[in-house]
Amino acid sequence: MFLHTHPYEPFFPEGATKLIVGTLPPPRFTTGELNERDVDFCYGSSNGLLWPVLDRIFNLNLKYETTHEAAEQRRTFLTSRGIGVCDIVDSCQRKKIDASDLGMQHIKLRDMITYLKQYPKINTLIFTGGNSKNGPEYFFRRHLKEYHLKLEEVSGDVPRIHQFELNIRKIKTVSLTAPSGSANRAIGSMQLYKDLKNKNPKFNTIDFRVMQYREFF
């Protein structure tokens, strides 16, 4: 069994009001075997789409390479926008060494509620995926039960929006369409995407994410 541990500590810039919450980066980030287009920072996988989408929304002119400069560009952006990153999975075990959420076993979660108590200005959690098994919303729901808390639905449309109360403080959660290639099929099946594609044949799944993410970042 491969012990897949999270390679990065949570990133909390001073005054953070939003928090990106995913699961784990690919195993090569744990072993340190990055490729030349990986960035040694949260969501730095060359296969991931979070940074390319944010790059388009904010015109960041990011570098996609394994350099200190590329990682620092992302830290600077997050700090300037008051956005933290704290993936919910601390470690898991895998029979097959891949990035599949469903392949995670013996999962150890981070104590998100304790972090939220430490950073009282955070009012929005941005999940990089939904409530499918072993997704960030799925794990967060499980974590809330430990504190006798639960999510209340605000909007059932995609992206789904919920909220919960923590010491009289209301925190919103948004479950974005995952920034991974595996989510493209789900996007393609959405009626909204089909309608937009019919209006503009050049419209693609990256455009869809840019449209969706812009509202919450």
Side-chain angles (χ1 to χ4, degrees):
M1 293 286 276
F2 172 70
L3 178 60
H4 189 180
T5 58
H6 204 299
Y8 303 117
E9 289 296 315
F11 179 78
F12 288 101
E14 186 176 351
T17 58
K18 298 177 181 178
L19 193 62
I20 300 171
V21 182
T23 53
L24 281 167
R28 67 180 181 275
F29 282 77
T30 296
T31 60
E33 301 170 290
L34 278 61
N35 67 48
E36 62 182 13
R37 285 189 56 80
D38 285 332
V39 178
D40 192 10
F41 187 67
C42 309
Y43 296 91
S45 170
S46 56
N47 308 113
L49 299 172
L50 178 65
W51 285 112
V53 169
L54 294 179
D55 202 346
R56 275 187 52 181
I57 293 172
F58 294 99
N59 298 312
L60 300 176
N61 195 28
L62 296 175
K63 293 182 180 294
Y64 296 87
E65 58 192 25
T66 310
T67 62
H68 174 77
E69 182 183 0
E72 198 59 32
Q73 283 181 322
R74 288 151 177 79
R75 289 190 190 92
T76 299
F77 165 75
L78 292 172
T79 300
S80 71
R81 304 290 301 189
I83 302 171
V85 183
C86 184
D87 288 340
I88 192 167
V89 177
D90 189 61
S91 68
C92 71
Q93 293 184 349
R94 295 182 181 276
K95 286 184 179 179
K96 183 180 179 182
I97 303 179
D98 62 18
S100 162
D101 282 344
L102 290 176
M104 293 190 285
Q105 301 179 36
H106 310 297
I107 298 149
K108 180 181 177 183
L109 301 181
R110 286 173 167 167
D111 191 344
M112 300 291 293
I113 295 301
T114 294
Y115 282 127
L116 290 174
K117 289 178 179 177
Q118 291 173 1
Y119 297 91
K121 292 185 179 179
I122 292 174
N123 55 40
T124 305
L125 305 184
I126 301 174
F127 296 135
T128 58
N131 194 32
S132 56
K133 186 176 180 183
N134 289 2
E137 181 190 325
Y138 173 89
F139 283 134
F140 190 72
R141 286 177 178 274
R142 194 173 91 180
H143 179 54
L144 285 180
K145 288 180 181 178
E146 299 172 12
Y147 287 88
H148 307 289
L149 301 170
K150 65 178 182 178
L151 294 181
E152 298 174 357
E153 185 174 276
V154 175
S155 171
D157 296 332
V158 176
R160 286 156 38 105
I161 299 174
H162 295 83
Q163 67 180 16
F164 66 100
E165 197 167 295
L166 181 63
N167 298 340
I168 72 169
R169 163 183 163 210
K170 285 194 175 179
I171 299 176
K172 179 174 75 174
T173 72
V174 181
S175 298
L176 297 178
T177 301
S180 62
S182 60
N184 288 343
R185 182 177 297 179
I187 294 175
S189 68
M190 293 179 189
Q191 190 58 49
L192 175 59
Y193 178 78
K194 292 176 181 178
D195 293 343
L196 292 168
K197 185 78 170 175
N198 285 334
K199 290 180 181 178
N200 176 12
K202 293 183 179 180
F203 189 80
N204 59 35
T205 55
I206 298 287
D207 297 326
F208 183 86
R209 288 184 178 88
V210 169
M211 180 186 72
Q212 185 188 97
Y213 288 26
R214 179 179 278 119
E215 180 180 353
F216 301 102
F217 280 95

